[in-house]
Amino acid sequence: MLCWVDMLRSHYNWCLGDRLTQFNQQYIQGNYCDIRTKAEACPITCFVSKNGASGEPWKEDKKGVLKNPRRNAGDIQITSLPILKSARPWYAGIDSTVLQQNVKRLDTAYKNFFVGVACPKGIGRGFPSFKNRSNFSSFSYAMGVKTKGSKIYLPKLGWMRYHNSRPIPNGYVVKAATIRKRQDGWYVSVRIEDKSIPILVAKPLSEVKSVIGCDLGITKLVHLSDNFQFDNPRFSTNKKVRRILKIRQRRVSRKVKGSKNRKKAAAKVGMFHKRISDKRTAYQWSVANKIVSRKVDAVAVEDLNIS
C-alpha cells in the first residue's frame, strides 16, 4: 500500500503537470513554441494539442469512426491509462479503478477551484498543487470491495484483517472505499448504500414552527439562542498540551537530520497531533449530536467562511 501511494502521487503530479503545460501552450504561447524567438509550434519542437491534456481527444466506435463530442482533460487522461501500464509495467499492479479515481481526484480539485472563482463571495479552494509525501496519503476504490466479519477484501491486495469498528447493517451494499495512511497505521472508510431507504426531504418553511440558532464563539465554542453554551476545551492550545508539544518538537530538532532517531522523535510528534485531532473531532460530533437532539424543527447557523 505504501508503494501504491508513492506511485499514485507520481501519477497525480504528472497529470497535473501535463494539464499545466497544455494550458500554457494553448492560452499563453499560442502558435509559438518559444515566445522570445517566435518559433512556430510543430510536432518536431513541441506538442500542439489544444485539449488540456496530452492524449487522444476523440472517441472511436467499433467501426473506427471518430465520435463527437471531444473528451475533456480528465477523460483523455483516463483513456490513456492502458498506455501508462504498457510503458511502465509496475503500474499494472494497481487496481484500474484506483488509477481512475486518482485522475478524478484531480478533476475535483479543478472543479473546486473554478467554482470558487465564479462565486461572488470568493468562497472556494485554491488552485491544484503538486503533492508531496505529507499531503498525499490515500487512495480510493470504486468497486470490488467486500467485507466478511473481521476481514476485508481489497482488489489486487487480497483479504486482510481489520478492526470492524462499525459493522455494515444487513441490506446495505458496499459502493466504494478509501484507504488512508495515518500516524498509527492504515484506516479504511467504506461508503454503503441501501436503495430501499427513502431520501430525506427537508420540511418546507411554512411547516417550521420552532427554530434554534447557533452562534460560534471564541471563549465558548457555541452559543445557542436558548442561552445554552458549549465550552471550548482548547485541545491544542491549553497549557499542558503546549508544554508537551514544545518538549517533543525540541527533541526532534536536536536529533541529526536524516537519522532514525529523528524519524522516531518525529513520529511521536505526529502521534501527539493525531491524538489532539481525534479529541477535537469526537467533541465536535458530541456537540452536534446534542444540538440536533433538541425538539425543534430547524437549526440556524451563521454563514461564515471560517476554517
Side-chain angles (χ1 to χ4, degrees), residues 253-294:
S253 63
R254 286 178 175 177
K255 301 291 189 297
V256 178
K257 287 186 178 181
S259 65
K260 289 186 178 181
N261 285 333
R262 189 183 179 95
K263 292 180 181 179
K264 290 178 183 178
K268 288 185 178 180
V269 174
M271 283 292 296
F272 190 69
H273 279 295
K274 178 185 175 296
R275 197 186 336 169
I276 295 172
S277 176
D278 290 344
K279 285 182 180 179
R280 185 187 295 114
T281 303
Y283 183 71
Q284 288 174 352
W285 279 111
S286 175
V287 170
N289 184 41
K290 290 178 182 177
I291 292 174
V292 299
S293 297
R294 303 276 174 133

Side-chain angles (χ1 to χ4, degrees), residues 44-82:
I44 298 176
T45 57
C46 63
F47 49 82
V48 290
S49 174
K50 306 289 186 181
N51 308 302
S54 56
E56 179 56 51
W58 306 102
K59 184 178 181 181
E60 293 185 1
D61 60 9
K62 295 180 180 179
K63 298 180 181 179
V65 180
L66 297 176
K67 284 181 165 184
N68 280 326
R70 298 171 73 151
R71 291 189 176 109
N72 57 32
D75 292 337
I76 292 175
Q77 291 179 336
I78 287 176
T79 51
S80 63
L81 289 176

Side-chain angles (χ1 to χ4, degrees), residues 214-223 229-235 237 283 302 304 306:
C214 304
D215 180 30
L216 296 179
I218 298 176
T219 57
K220 300 290 184 179
L221 187 64
V222 181
H223 300 261
Q229 297 177 342
F230 291 97
D231 291 330
N232 186 1
R234 300 184 180 274
F235 294 108
T237 56
Y283 183 71
E302 293 179 283
L304 299 177
I306 60 172

Side-chain angles (χ1 to χ4, degrees), residues 165-216:
S165 59
R166 297 184 66 184
I168 298 174
N170 294 330
Y172 283 81
V173 179
V174 177
K175 301 296 292 183
T178 299
I179 317 299
R180 181 173 289 104
K181 176 73 170 66
R182 297 191 71 184
Q183 286 81 3
D184 60 343
W186 293 87
Y187 287 76
V188 57
S189 174
V190 182
R191 190 166 75 242
I192 57 179
E193 180 189 27
D194 186 357
K195 294 184 179 179
S196 64
I197 296 178
I199 298 175
L200 181 64
V201 179
K203 277 186 178 182
L205 290 177
S206 58
E207 297 181 11
V208 174
K209 303 301 180 184
S210 57
V211 181
I212 190 170
C214 304
D215 180 30
L216 296 179

